[in-house]
């Protein structure tokens, strides 16, 4: 399931995040790459482990926590600390698949990467190119969102970023381990949750159908989730 989430961060939050990271130290993006990604990657990345990366990452994490649709779709168990990248001057990221296991350097924190996330921090009219192209069963999905919007997609997907030929594309990217490993099960839970919320708004939370569907949702989550 590929999901576009609008308004994860407000314009003011985007501006505050950009002011913080724009003044940080940017290094070769391969600082945190695996072997396969190193062959395809050409971009810059905010210095890993720096104070500004941590502060900006906390801003992103706080915004995610205020977004019920993100929680419903991802069912996050563990979230990798957000990273930040920058593309310009023809830089791109060729076709690759994200590593199955991600570990924070110098720590024991690691996750199974079930979902990949890209939070856009540059308005699309400010740069040419820079589309995130994700391959799925329905073909290529090309993603270029407003600043503050995010795309959530399976980390198992083959994907790439097209060359940025004008301006700069700045984003936050990270991965998460979901409580529900299986993508199909997670999608069914998300669709069921959305239907429950719609019916609850129309009929009220104590409606018998809403209660029955809520019971079904939690029993499926109980069966499928790891905590």
């Amino acid at each position: 399931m590929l999901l576009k989430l609008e308004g994860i961060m407000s314009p003011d939050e985007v501006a505050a995040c950009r002011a913080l990271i724009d003044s940080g130290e940017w290094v070769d993006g391969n600082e945190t790459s695996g072997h396969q990604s190193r062959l395809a990657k050409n971009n810059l990345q905010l210095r890993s482990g720096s104070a500004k990366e941590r502060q900006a990452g906390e801003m992103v994490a706080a915004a995610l926590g205020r977004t019920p649709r993100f929680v419903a779709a991802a069912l996050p168990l563990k979230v990798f600390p957000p990273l930040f990248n920058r593309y310009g001057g023809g830089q791109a990221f060729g076709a690759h698949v994200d590593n199955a296991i991600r570990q924070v350097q110098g720590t024991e924190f690691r996750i199974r990467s079930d979902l990949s996330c890209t939070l856009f921090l540059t308005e699309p009219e400010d740069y040419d190119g820079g589309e995130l192209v994700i391959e799925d069963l329905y073909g290529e999905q090309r993603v270029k969102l407003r600043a503050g919007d995010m795309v959530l997609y399976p980390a198992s997907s083959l994907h790439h970023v097209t060359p940025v030929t004008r301006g700069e594309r700045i984003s936050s990217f990270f991965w998460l381990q979901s409580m529900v490993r299986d993508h199909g099960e997670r999608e069914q839970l998300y669709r069921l949750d959305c239907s429950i919320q719609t019916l609850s708004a129309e009929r009220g939370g104590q409606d018998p159908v809403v209660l029955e569907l809520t019971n079904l949702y939690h029993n499926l989550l109980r069966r499928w989730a790891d905590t």
Side-chain angles (χ1 to χ4, degrees):
M1 178 175 64
L2 185 154
L3 190 64
K4 299 174 185 178
L5 300 172
E6 297 180 350
I8 296 291
M9 298 182 80
S10 69
D12 287 345
E13 289 171 327
V14 170
C17 186
R18 282 291 307 274
L20 184 62
I21 65 176
D22 286 352
S23 63
E25 180 185 5
W26 293 82
V27 299
D28 188 336
N30 282 308
E31 184 183 66
T32 57
S33 296
H35 173 70
Q36 186 216 19
S37 293
R38 189 176 295 274
L39 301 176
K41 189 176 186 180
N42 178 22
N43 65 9
L44 296 177
Q45 187 170 310
L46 192 63
R47 171 73 71 182
S48 182
S50 66
K52 291 187 176 182
E53 182 199 57
R54 288 194 299 271
Q55 293 169 27
E58 289 170 359
M59 295 173 65
V60 172
L64 293 174
R66 298 192 302 267
T67 308
R69 194 175 175 212
F70 164 76
V71 176
L75 295 171
L77 177 62
K78 294 190 287 186
V79 180
F80 196 89
L83 306 174
F84 299 85
N85 59 21
R86 180 189 298 262
Y87 294 82
Q91 291 177 319
F93 199 161
H96 65 285
V97 174
D98 292 334
N99 289 353
I101 305 297
R102 305 293 312 197
Q103 182 163 357
V104 177
Q105 294 179 352
T107 76
E108 295 183 357
F109 180 86
R110 64 177 178 270
I111 67 168
R112 179 188 67 239
S113 59
D114 295 325
L115 291 165
S116 296
C117 310
T118 297
L119 173 63
F120 290 77
L121 297 172
T122 311
E123 296 294 354
E125 63 267 21
D126 291 341
Y127 61 99
D128 293 334
E131 292 178 303
L132 173 62
V133 183
I134 303 164
E135 297 186 17
D136 64 17
L137 293 176
Y138 304 102
E140 289 188 346
Q141 308 296 318
R142 305 180 77 88
V143 182
K144 187 174 181 178
L145 304 180
R146 306 293 306 182
D149 294 352
M150 188 177 81
V151 61
L152 182 72
Y153 61 99
S156 56
S157 304
L158 189 67
H159 57 282
H160 67 275
V161 176
T162 64
V164 174
T165 57
R166 179 186 65 87
E168 288 187 319
R169 173 199 192 266
I170 299 171
S171 304
S172 176
F173 66 103
F174 52 97
W175 307 269
L176 64 86
Q177 180 174 331
S178 176
M179 289 185 287
V180 177
R181 178 196 296 251
D182 184 85
H183 294 305
E185 292 170 352
R186 194 184 319 113
E187 180 177 356
Q188 294 305 312
L189 285 168
Y190 174 67
R191 295 174 66 180
L192 179 56
D193 191 13
C194 290
S195 296
I196 291 169
Q197 299 307 317
T198 299
L199 281 174
S200 181
E202 294 174 353
R203 302 187 179 190
Q206 295 302 305
D207 179 85
V209 175
V210 172
L211 290 173
E212 180 61 27
L213 290 175
T214 301
N215 181 55
L216 174 62
Y217 173 87
H218 284 286
N219 284 333
L220 287 174
L221 182 60
R222 187 175 290 111
R223 170 176 290 191
W224 292 335
D226 296 317
T227 59

